[in-house]
Amino acid sequence: MKNTVLALLLLFTAILSAQEKIYMNEKYEVVTSPAEATFYKIEEKTDKGDAIIKRLTYRLDGSLSAEQYLAVKDGKPVNEGRHKFWYKTGEPWYEIDYKNGDRHGELIAWWPNGNKKRHDFFKKDKFKSGMVWNEKGEKIEHFPYWVSASYPGGNEALQNYLKSTLPVPEKQKKGTTVKVLLIFTINEEGAISEVQVVEGAPRWYNAVAVQVLSNMPRWEPARHFGEPVSTRFRLPMSFVK
């Protein structure tokens, strides 16, 4: 474990020392050409110790989009400290506190006109309390700032859909399970696209899993501060006989 952590830190140090611009598209996926990019990020050391990395994300016009901090936990970089985000116009959007990868502390958000949008409190990644205001500064009913994408009817309905839709070939041995792990995009309208097999099985199973996923009903899209957003989703499928 110590060797893994050290290797990660050395990797971070190599990146940071070069101050390399890492280009990303609108989904924050790394791309090789600035022509494909919407953002770029730079990672640098901080005065909080070698294990804390500061990540700055910029729009291509040079305006700051995000300031985030990463720490190494169990060999992986995780969110740490206060993260800050800005609107395209330069006004503060929101700030959120993390500890050991969990939301822990405050989340404060503002409308573009400077009025406070919400003020939430988290402890060990659990929501504790909060208030929400409209753009005029009037208090409104609280709602979560982040809601994950979901299959209509919830997880139980999703599992029932998979059980009734996934065929099992005759040649599969009785008492066995074949698993396929897929990752895909659910856009702002709930439509599925960009399906990828990340942990596959024999070709037939992979093809069937992709087909079943592509034929699913539209999902409920993820919501960020109440607005539908595109998101990536991981889904395991099991062929059970």
Side-chain angles (χ1 to χ4, degrees), residues 92-192:
W93 179 14
Y94 72 99
E95 301 179 358
I96 182 170
D97 294 324
Y98 287 93
K99 184 176 181 181
N100 296 323
D102 292 336
R103 292 168 297 178
H104 189 87
E106 292 182 304
L107 184 158
I108 308 174
W110 298 268
W111 291 98
N113 64 10
N115 286 342
K116 187 180 282 189
K117 190 173 189 177
R118 71 165 51 230
H119 196 167
D120 291 341
F121 295 88
F122 294 87
K123 185 175 182 180
K124 295 182 178 179
D125 217 36
K126 302 293 184 183
F127 171 76
K128 291 301 179 181
S129 64
M131 292 184 289
V132 179
W133 298 267
N134 63 21
E135 200 164 1
K136 297 178 181 179
E138 301 164 336
K139 187 177 178 181
I140 61 175
E141 184 178 355
H142 187 275
F143 60 91
Y145 86 98
W146 172 258
V147 178
S148 298
S150 62
Y151 184 81
N155 189 61
E156 184 176 351
L158 172 59
Q159 296 307 317
N160 289 336
Y161 173 86
L162 294 177
K163 287 178 183 178
S164 64
T165 309
L166 283 176
V168 180
E170 288 291 333
K171 63 182 180 180
Q172 184 175 326
K173 187 180 296 186
K174 189 175 181 179
T176 62
T177 299
V178 177
K179 296 182 179 180
V180 178
L181 178 61
L182 304 169
I183 186 169
F184 51 97
T185 295
I186 303 168
N187 70 14
E188 294 89 339
E189 286 77 41
I192 292 172

Side-chain angles (χ1 to χ4, degrees), residues 198-240:
V198 291
E199 291 181 15
R203 183 180 300 175
W204 182 89
Y205 293 96
N206 295 340
V208 169
V210 171
Q211 182 180 28
V212 167
L213 178 62
S214 300
N215 291 335
M216 276 186 182
R218 286 180 180 255
W219 287 48
E220 292 294 328
R223 290 185 174 272
H224 192 220
F225 290 100
E227 298 295 327
V229 293
S230 176
T231 187
R232 296 287 278 172
F233 199 94
R234 295 168 66 91
L235 179 67
M237 290 190 185
S238 298
F239 297 79
V240 182

Side-chain angles (χ1 to χ4, degrees), residues 54-89:
K54 182 178 182 179
R55 175 184 290 166
L56 298 172
T57 302
Y58 296 89
R59 299 178 180 87
L60 290 188
D61 63 5
S63 62
L64 188 59
S65 173
E67 176 183 296
Q68 299 162 285
Y69 294 87
L70 302 171
V72 177
K73 181 181 180 183
D74 297 330
K76 297 180 180 179
V78 298
N79 291 328
E80 187 68 42
R82 175 156 290 204
H83 292 207
K84 300 179 181 180
F85 301 84
W86 288 264
Y87 288 106
K88 290 181 179 179
T89 49

